[in-house]
Amino acid sequence: MNRTQNYNLCQWEAADKVQRTDFNADNAKMDTALGGIADRVAALEAKQPVELRRIKLTGATKRITLSLSGIDVTQYDHLRLEFRDMELSLGYLGAQVNGLTSGYVRMNTNGMSPSASEYASVGFQGNGRGSLEIHPLNGWVALRGEAVSAYPNSTKTPPYNISASLSWSIHKDVSYTGLTKLELISTTADATLAAGGEVVLYGMPK
């Protein structure tokens, strides 16, 4: 028996045996798909964020990849990636779009001059939470990272440092409508993101 490309629905040939279980399985798949579409439409009409992707880390990794394939970004004012309970063993968290490892221009809100980089800054270390917003800007893509975290420091009482950051980055070779992939990365070679963290991508209403 052949299957459809997107939802793996039955496509019977003349010689195939038609079974009730196949119909029931197909109806369940279609009900789930149509329910998801209805939820997204309702969220858009109510001007509520629409959940687009969710990833829970089940093991340590240096890179979290979210495909934006199938997402019509023009429906949304901007995208917002939230991360929670994220643990980075060393260094900082950065972001890359469309697999590009250069061409980012970063600026912190403390007035420092823009600097070229291989990633957009999110600016989190230790155990933290925060967000990365992705905006259109004059045909470019602009990324706004915001995070707060705590990391160990044996000379402090309590024995940790608190770090908060806010930064903007742009990439002139990528447009908002040209986005295909978003990645969170460890910017230190020997550092990893621990299991247990979660990232959720939302489409923010216009």
Side-chain angles (χ1 to χ4, degrees):
M1 180 191 302
N2 294 324
R3 298 277 181 172
T4 60
Q5 180 178 355
N6 294 315
Y7 290 100
N8 202 35
L9 303 175
C10 297
Q11 295 282 276
W12 284 277
E13 299 287 344
D16 290 335
K17 181 179 180 181
V18 178
Q19 301 189 65
R20 175 179 54 83
T21 54
D22 291 329
F23 280 105
N24 288 345
D26 282 358
N27 286 337
K29 292 173 186 175
M30 288 187 287
D31 185 74
T32 299
L34 292 172
I37 293 171
D39 290 344
R40 291 189 181 188
V41 170
L44 286 171
E45 290 177 346
K47 298 293 185 179
Q48 296 295 315
V50 178
E51 183 177 321
L52 303 172
R53 300 283 189 270
R54 180 183 292 264
I55 295 178
K56 182 81 171 182
L57 296 185
T58 58
T61 183
K62 291 182 64 61
R63 184 178 296 268
I64 302 171
T65 301
L66 295 98
S67 171
L68 303 183
S69 176
I71 297 175
D72 180 5
V73 297
T74 62
Q75 295 184 62
Y76 311 108
D77 179 74
H78 64 280
L79 303 178
R80 179 180 174 89
L81 180 66
E82 296 185 358
F83 56 90
R84 307 158 185 168
D85 301 319
M86 199 68 75
E87 181 79 40
L88 185 61
S89 59
L90 183 69
Y92 294 90
L93 189 67
Q96 293 176 334
V97 293
N98 292 10
L100 296 173
T101 58
S102 63
Y104 302 88
V105 179
R106 296 191 289 151
M107 174 175 276
N108 294 325
T109 55
N110 60 10
M112 291 177 62
S113 298
S115 59
S117 177
E118 67 272 19
Y119 59 87
S121 177
V122 180
F124 137 83
Q125 60 178 321
N127 180 278
R129 60 189 301 127
S131 65
L132 177 70
E133 294 184 349
I134 303 97
H135 295 260
L137 178 67
N138 294 337
W140 311 327
V141 63
L143 302 99
R144 179 185 185 272
E146 185 173 10
V148 61
S149 59
Y151 54 99
N153 186 332
S154 60
T155 66
K156 296 282 187 179
T157 304
Y160 53 78
N161 286 343
I162 296 293
S163 174
S165 63
L166 174 64
S167 64
W168 279 94
S169 307
I170 64 169
H171 203 299
K172 295 183 178 181
D173 298 328
V174 180
S175 67
Y176 180 69
T177 56
L179 289 169
T180 60
K181 182 170 64 173
L182 176 64
E183 294 177 286
L184 291 179
I185 63 168
S186 165
T187 62
T188 303
D190 54 352
T192 57
L193 293 157
E198 183 177 54
V199 296
V200 186
L201 180 67
Y202 296 97
M204 306 303 289
K206 295 182 178 181

